[in-house]
Amino acid sequence: MPPRVPPLRPEELSPAQADLYGAIAGGPRAQGPQHFALTRPDGSLRGPFNALLLAPDLGGALQHVGSAIRYRGALTDRAREIAILLVAAHWDSAFEREAHEAVGAAAGLGDAELAALRAGDITPFEGDEGLVAAVTLQLVGGDLDDELWDAASVALGAAVVFELTTLVGYYATLALQLRVFRVDG
């Protein structure tokens, strides 16, 4: 299926769109090692980022949330990628899977662990990572039962549970946008 919104090239952007483009293409996602391409050869943004440009104020707020989750959260890199990949599996989001399997591999997730996450299988994970995975699986279903809340709030802390609810909501939003706008890369 062709995308519903054409790729927006940098030279076509309004000033507000150009500011948001700069925040995405020049912000923390673009610093350090690149595990997945943010832009296409024509300079347009890949994945969910092109659609963010449609409404720069809202898109900017959304990209700030994503940046905070990725770069300023309390979760370890591995735990964060476990959670993101479980959301991607739940939503069958090809772009999120492609992008975050690369990030997850760089964070130390092995091939067997990545395959398990693709299948929604959390059995390879133990300790805090297992707890993060279990919480994420319940959150993608829409709630967190009392037993898992008790375990997670004690072991991880309420602030980390808040972070996980935000992460699940953010990546679910992106997965929905990717699906609605027919973005495959």
Side-chain angles (χ1 to χ4, degrees):
M1 274 182 268
R4 289 181 167 166
V5 175
L8 302 171
R9 294 188 316 272
E11 64 273 11
E12 301 170 331
L13 303 178
S14 72
Q17 289 172 319
D19 287 346
L20 178 53
Y21 179 98
I24 294 168
R29 287 177 185 88
Q31 308 304 314
Q34 291 295 293
H35 302 295
F36 65 93
L38 281 172
T39 59
R40 293 179 183 85
D42 67 0
S44 62
L45 294 171
R46 292 185 65 232
F49 304 111
N50 187 63
L52 295 182
L53 298 174
L54 296 172
D57 287 342
L58 185 55
L62 193 56
Q63 90 82 27
H64 281 296
V65 170
S67 182
I69 290 167
R70 289 272 319 275
Y71 305 106
R72 296 189 302 277
L75 292 167
T76 66
D77 291 345
R78 275 180 56 96
R80 183 191 64 247
E81 295 307 316
I82 290 166
I84 293 168
L85 288 167
L86 286 169
V87 176
H90 177 81
W91 278 86
D92 192 26
S93 182
F95 179 83
E96 286 179 341
R97 187 172 22 260
E98 170 210 336
H100 287 280
E101 281 189 358
V103 176
L109 292 172
D111 291 342
E113 291 170 317
L114 292 171
L117 291 168
R118 248 179 261 123
D121 174 10
I122 64 171
T123 57
F125 303 100
E126 298 176 342
D128 286 352
E129 289 181 350
L131 197 51
V132 164
V135 167
T136 302
L137 280 185
Q138 281 197 9
L139 291 175
V140 296
D143 199 359
L144 186 60
D145 68 30
D146 291 338
E147 182 180 343
L148 196 48
W149 160 258
D150 290 342
S153 65
V154 169
L156 303 172
V160 172
V161 175
F162 175 80
E163 183 177 336
L164 277 169
T165 63
T166 304
L167 178 152
V168 169
Y170 172 77
Y171 282 95
T173 297
L174 294 185
L176 176 61
Q177 291 170 340
L178 288 162
R179 181 168 293 154
V180 167
F181 291 103
R182 307 293 191 255
V183 177
D184 63 0

